[in-house]
Amino acid sequence: VDILFAGLNENYCRNPDGDDLVWCYVNEDVGWEYCDVPLCHECKNSNFKKCGCRDGNQADYRGSIRTTIGGKECLNWKDTIFTTEAFLR
């Protein structure tokens, strides 16, 4: 995954691997969780800082949501990408 291209900065929800929805790492016990990012109604002229397109499973989302559907705070991507096997998806 190209970290800069995938928008893996801070602890924002992203979808760098083409999963069903935007997600983030939360801790070593749980690993990761999906995030509640709104779907764009029209992808062609959308602001990807506010929503993600259904086509591509919201991989275009570049907003600042950093909390999962379960209410957990996302971990910073740089602290999780090359860590233990517990984080491998």
Side-chain angles (χ1 to χ4, degrees):
V1 171
D2 183 329
I3 294 171
L4 295 176
F5 181 74
L8 302 182
N9 53 341
E10 303 287 333
N11 61 334
Y12 303 136
C13 297
R14 297 290 186 258
N15 188 1
D17 63 349
D19 205 326
D20 293 335
L21 297 170
V22 176
W23 58 274
C24 69
Y25 290 115
V26 291
N27 61 48
E28 287 190 32
D29 295 328
V30 175
W32 62 276
E33 285 187 6
Y34 289 120
C35 298
D36 189 14
V37 172
L39 283 173
C40 300
H41 293 290
E42 182 182 315
C43 292
K44 189 174 183 179
N45 297 314
S46 291
N47 178 349
F48 298 119
K49 290 185 176 185
K50 294 185 177 185
C51 60
C53 284
R54 182 180 308 274
D55 298 339
N57 299 332
Q58 297 182 306
D60 49 9
Y61 173 71
R62 293 296 180 270
S64 58
I65 293 173
R66 58 181 80 203
T67 306
T68 68
I69 291 171
K72 293 181 178 67
E73 184 77 15
C74 296
L75 296 176
N76 194 310
W77 287 98
K78 71 178 177 60
D79 296 335
T80 61
I81 292 176
F82 302 106
T83 59
T84 67
E85 192 172 311
F87 281 124
L88 295 177
R89 292 178 30 85

